[in-house]
Amino acid sequence: MIDFSLRADQPFNSKTDVVAVAVHENQRLSSAAEDLDKASLGALKAALKAAAFSGNCGKLLPLFNLPGISATRVLVYGAGEANMLAAKDARATGRALAAAAVELELAELTIFPLSENAVDAMQQMVMGVSDATYRYDETKGISAKAKPSLKRVRFSMPAAAAKAAPAALKVSVATIHGMEFTKYLGNLPANHCTPTRLGEEAKKLVKSHGLKVTVMDRKAIEKLGMGSFLSVTNGSDEPPRFIVFEYAGGKKGEAPTVFVGKGVTFDTGGVSIKPAPDMDHMKWDMSGAGTVFGVMKAVAELKPKQNIVGLVVACENHINGKATKPGDVFTSMSGQTIEVLNTDAEGRLILCDALTYAERFKPRAVIDIATLTGACVVALGSHNAGIFSNNDALADSLIASGKKMNDRFWRMPLEEDYQEALSSNFADMANVAGREGGAITAACFLWRFAKKYDWAHLDIAGVAYKGSGKEKGASGRPVAALVDYVMARE
Ligand code: BES
Ligand code: MN
Ligand code: ZN
């Protein structure tokens, strides 16, 4: 794990492996670069000129042995035209700087952010460092690589940012710890990351952090009357788990925020089986649950003065002789009956019972997170997750946190007009409507179970992972937005 810290040294006297300073377009120097140039008697400017450094965001120029500079190595990073970095650019810069430090096999990197918006930029750079240094190697076997060399990242903050920096850094570091945990669980193959394993990981997390957790098995889930959740487990040999995290940082009896995560550890589709291409992606169908794990980890580290509950519904959607058949009807914990017309619309079937369970906490807000529909991916692609909510203020706060962290949500409609498509002649509702508005009708299904509190549903099917290429893997989204949402209430 990388150690992040703050210091107040100068770019020219910083005793570190490598110093990073910003240069704008047209080789306009940031104040840190200016200081460095002066101390080196113009060597920095001369090097920029010789290299024809563009100063575009994302560009790096490594320099070595500049005269009059304590650090042997300097990384100049492009900062574009403006006097501050946008969130996206700051993150990319953090990623590029960390990657360069790793490439040079260095242990310590000291970054000088631009003075404007320095705290926000630092937070994004921490995430960029995490992007560049995160490794999945649990099942890589003999091809697992050595850990990256980078051990310490320091931020030398401008004076104006000194006051806000420590708390902000703490939040960012907890955020990446959460995100890295979310990625780890997501990237584990489904034969490793079973519901049972999730239950074990929950207990381990609690041991190291002082949270409380209850891990329920099939018997306990039956006792709760979660007939809809259990219908999804019919076709699988993997026993289900219902996990309840409780963090009590607030006053006794204060209404908690409840996070609910879809934890389908593999989604074959069941009898309504999925096509073969890309079916491996369905190991990430527990990313909502992974997000809850990540948020709870960050919360336990940050210890906000709030009460927070995390619910994880974990099972496998598989197919065998006992599997649910299209047309089967089940009774949910709420008493409402459901005709399962498509066994591949299983996420809503497990979440609805958790939403009913959430009532017992008399929550101030319930936020569910789920890789719920392919339709949401069609609608929004992979940059924004969908957000549906019965409360505008709740939606606005989540959207604001998403914007700030560049972990974005786009509001989608939640309207009664769409409910009719879910009607059934054989139950209170069907679990699917037609192809039209598939992400919306899925949200409408959940809404029927979320009438007693303020609620938001995050459809993260498009953002939770990259499905191909060199970066194939979990993204850790939307942990950053949700941790910011929690901390914004402190
Ligand atoms: N887990 C899938 C949704 C999904 C699709 C996640 C693509 C990530 C990427 C979900 O359980 C599902 O299969 N949904 C169906 C719903 C349909 C049957 C109404 C879908 O989106 O096709
Ligand atoms: Mn499915
Ligand atoms: Zn699914």
Side-chain angles (χ1 to χ4, degrees), residues 222-240:
E222 275 168 2
K223 221 167 144 197
L224 286 170
M226 295 182 154
S228 183
F229 174 20
L230 287 170
S231 79
V232 177
T233 73
N234 286 345
S236 170
D237 289 340
E238 290 293 343

Side-chain angles (χ1 to χ4, degrees), residues 42-67:
L44 177 68
K45 265 190 181 156
L48 292 172
K49 206 168 163 206
F53 185 67
S54 75
N56 292 343
C57 285
K59 285 273 185 288
L60 285 192
L61 177 66
L63 300 171
F64 305 93
N65 280 327
L66 288 182

Side-chain angles (χ1 to χ4, degrees), residues 262 264 267 269 272 274 281-282 284-285 317 342-348 371-377 431-434 438 441 459-462 465:
K262 171 180 173 182
V264 174
D267 181 9
S272 315
K274 286 186 179 294
H281 293 189
M282 288 302 115
W284 285 298
D285 211 18
N317 187 22
N342 189 321
T343 64
D344 197 12
E346 85 297 341
R348 62 198 79 181
T371 46
L372 202 64
T373 67
C376 193
V377 190
N431 77 327
V432 289
T441 51
D459 193 333
I460 61 166
Y465 62 89

Side-chain angles (χ1 to χ4, degrees), residues 186-207:
N187 289 336
L188 278 179
N191 64 326
H192 291 249
C193 185
T194 58
T196 306
R197 172 74 177 267
L198 286 179
E200 289 163 3
E201 293 287 345
K203 286 189 174 153
K204 256 205 281 182
L205 177 62
V206 159
K207 230 181 244 154

Side-chain angles (χ1 to χ4, degrees), residues 7 33 36 40 57 61 79 95 114 118 138 146 155 257 272 285 301 337 348 360 371 375 404 426:
R7 25 167 85 172
L36 207 120
S40 70
C57 285
L61 177 66
R95 195 182 303 139
L114 292 173
E138 175 101 356
F155 292 95
T257 304
S272 315
D285 211 18
E301 211 169 299
T337 59
R348 62 198 79 181
R360 70 182 54 199
T371 46
K404 179 175 164 210
F426 309 103

Side-chain angles (χ1 to χ4, degrees), residues 370-388:
T371 46
L372 202 64
T373 67
C376 193
V377 190
V378 173
L380 296 176
S382 59
H383 299 297
N384 280 274
I387 181 170
F388 302 78

